[in-house]
Amino acid sequence: MPNIRMRLPAVLAALAALGGSPALAGPPPATAATPPGSPRTVPPGSLWFDGAPLTVRGGRFTDGQGREIVLRGYNVSGETKLAENGGLPFASVADARRSATALRALGGGNAVRFLLSWAHAEPVRGQVDTAYLAAATEQMRAFLDAGIRVYPDFHQDLHSRHLFGPDSWYTGDGAPKWAVDAGSYPKESCGICLFWGQNITQNAAVREAQYDFWHNSHGIQDAFLDTAQATMAYLKQHLDAGEFAGITGFDPYNEPYAGTYDSGQTSRTWERDLLWPFYEKFRARMDAAGWRDKPAFVEPNLFWNANISTQKQEGGLLDAGTLGPGYVLNTHFYDQKAISGILMWGKAADGQYAADFAAVRDRASAAGTAAVVSEFGHPLSGTVADKAPTVLKAMYQALDSRLSGAGWWNRPADSGPVLSGTQWQWDLYSGRHRELMNGNPGKVRTAGDAWNDEDLSAVRLDDSGNAALRQDPRLLDRLYPSATAGTTLAFTYEDRSRDGSTTLTWNPVPAALPNVAKLVGAGRYGLLVWRSGDGTAPTELHLPASFPPAATTVVSDLGTVYGPPAHTSATPVGVAPEPGGTGSRRLLLTDADSGAPHFALVTDGATAPPADLLAAARTELAGWAAARFR
């Protein structure tokens, strides 16, 4: 929400156990699914430690080797909110595969939040459309085959497009028409609204519809839960075991808000009495559908971390207790001040969002679970688009560390865990839509995201039909620790991304480390410090496409090398393809101990650096690490 406001017997048996029994409508899938339990072709580039399902342990995502996992990627995609492709992210499986390859190879992503539409999953009350689920499953499979982890999201904005008439200024997505018809809501009107998100709190039709959902008026929430369970059971049945391992969890509901508070109710008590019980019900539906080992990615009241004081509301699931491994704290963050064009003059700066993202880390830690920022971004056109390069750099900086660049080198032990996040959004059809807004043939939307005048897609198709980034590749395709064998102690990445012709350097190597500074020069660098664990799988860092191994320097206590070789079991510092055959690469760092601190500097700043410079840089980093991590 970037604008201000802001054949299935197993399915039926599981639904019957919880009292839900929607019929399954539509033709069978056009493509036969792989039978459950059958062998799966190993994706190209896979190694023995790839492909394990994720769990939540010790407040972090972990894989089967006990490594800490960081999910980075994009939302796929806002196209689901449109009618032109039937509530699917893509017009075809071929487009989904093309998008997945580009997302991995150009955007550096290893995860996607995959949007689903309730309106298209259950167009008739009590009848789940298996044709829609089959198409969504095949498109999801395109990402899983590319080695990309997936967490589905039943998406909604302003409750439903069916609240809005053909001549309306705005539109929504989410609930099906029958759910809106059940409520007999007033004619929608936002009044004096500059941004679509204001409908959330100002549009009586939207407010009443939201209120009814949370109070289960007309049994609408129960119907949603039935459809969600049927959807999850369908995915469990039609994805093979290897593919299902790539599903990290499920996002039950996008950006929840009460609509209207009851007398005496507050945002906090609404979360306690209505939102959290809904998540517990959803968790039970996940268990019944065979998703017992996967977490629910639960979002607090969408205004809990707003950065405008008049919008912020108390929340963050404060009364839910310890969430534990069954749940992940899932939140969004947009700089509403920057988007307003009024409340923040100028550009974002070093450490701009350190406090905002530290609050996410702290809330997840208190709740005893992992965190993911499942939406963040900034408009790429319009009056505030000039802020995007700095706003996005500052957001990625805050995902990497809770410290500013200016303070990182002096107290890296305060860096905190590296946060997972999925940027909004990755829309292959950016600027090429043909969406009849609210079904009106006189209001055909083609520009940007084709939805309420938004334009946030990081990708588009060029004139040759090839995927091309719309933002600086240095910003998007980032070095990050995708898997850490042990515990991450600190991480930073200076991407040297650009704001126009200006290179942004917020974390220069300090003068106290002259040989490290000389080695890095004007290049990019990342530095990871971790404490080794008990497993034998290596630590992995995603290597951006612009970091060719032959021109990459690694300085680590495990080894120092310019142009790291191909990974082998006998190579402590090596390079290997990432799974999926997309051409993306990873740096693998293998330690042979447990409980010991290690460091690795990765840079593209030097060409054939002499051995004495590498040795001197290693000595400096070893002394720095010893002084700050004990």
Side-chain angles (χ1 to χ4, degrees), residues 300-344:
N301 175 344
L302 76 94
F303 294 113
W304 84 279
N305 61 341
N307 74 336
I308 297 177
S309 59
T310 56
Q311 289 189 343
K312 192 166 186 175
Q313 299 181 15
E314 186 180 23
L317 304 177
L318 295 170
D319 299 298
T322 300
L323 301 187
Y327 301 91
V328 166
L329 182 72
N330 172 16
T331 190
H332 297 173
F333 184 79
Y334 294 95
D335 186 346
Q336 308 289 22
K337 293 180 180 179
I339 292 172
S340 74
I342 299 171
L343 300 177
M344 186 188 103

Side-chain angles (χ1 to χ4, degrees), residues 71-89:
L71 304 174
R72 289 287 177 90
Y74 305 84
N75 282 260
V76 180
S77 70
E79 174 66 25
T80 300
K81 295 157 61 165
L82 308 180
E84 62 183 2
N85 283 325
L88 292 165

Side-chain angles (χ1 to χ4, degrees), residues 106-184:
L106 299 179
N110 68 354
V112 293
R113 181 175 182 242
F114 191 99
L115 274 61
L116 296 171
S117 167
W118 178 23
H120 290 87
E122 191 187 5
V124 177
R125 184 165 193 163
Q127 297 184 25
V128 175
D129 189 345
T130 56
Y132 175 77
L133 297 186
T137 301
E138 289 303 310
Q139 293 188 9
M140 200 176 294
R141 182 176 281 118
F143 288 85
L144 296 167
D145 287 347
I148 297 170
R149 297 186 186 270
V150 173
Y151 60 104
D153 157 50
F154 263 121
H155 206 80
Q156 73 80 38
D157 291 286
L158 308 185
H159 188 70
S160 173
R161 69 178 295 157
H162 299 290
L163 285 171
F164 298 84
D167 296 320
S168 176
W169 289 9
Y170 303 102
T171 190
D173 71 286
K177 185 176 185 300
W178 60 260
V180 172
D181 291 344
S184 300

Side-chain angles (χ1 to χ4, degrees), residues 506-568:
W506 291 352
N507 191 357
V509 178
L513 302 171
N515 290 291
V516 177
K518 182 178 180 180
L519 180 68
V520 169
R524 294 166 292 173
Y525 78 89
L527 179 54
L528 174 68
V529 185
W530 76 101
R531 191 175 301 280
S532 58
D534 297 328
T536 56
T539 290
E540 302 183 23
L541 290 99
H542 168 72
L543 275 182
S546 55
F547 267 67
T552 297
T553 301
V554 181
V555 178
S556 172
D557 63 295
L558 302 176
T560 300
V561 59
Y562 173 71
H567 168 74
T568 70

Side-chain angles (χ1 to χ4, degrees), residues 453-476:
D453 297 323
E454 289 196 338
D455 184 13
L456 286 94
S457 177
V459 71
R460 65 178 179 84
L461 294 178
D462 63 20
D463 292 340
S464 300
N466 298 316
L469 295 180
R470 299 179 64 216
Q471 295 172 268
D472 187 350
R474 292 177 173 235
L475 173 69
L476 297 181

Side-chain angles (χ1 to χ4, degrees), residues 49 52-55 57 61-69 149 483 537 540:
F49 42 80
L54 298 190
T55 57
R57 188 173 66 185
F61 291 108
T62 61
D63 68 3
Q65 285 72 46
R67 299 182 300 175
E68 291 184 357
I69 301 298
R149 297 186 186 270
E540 302 183 23

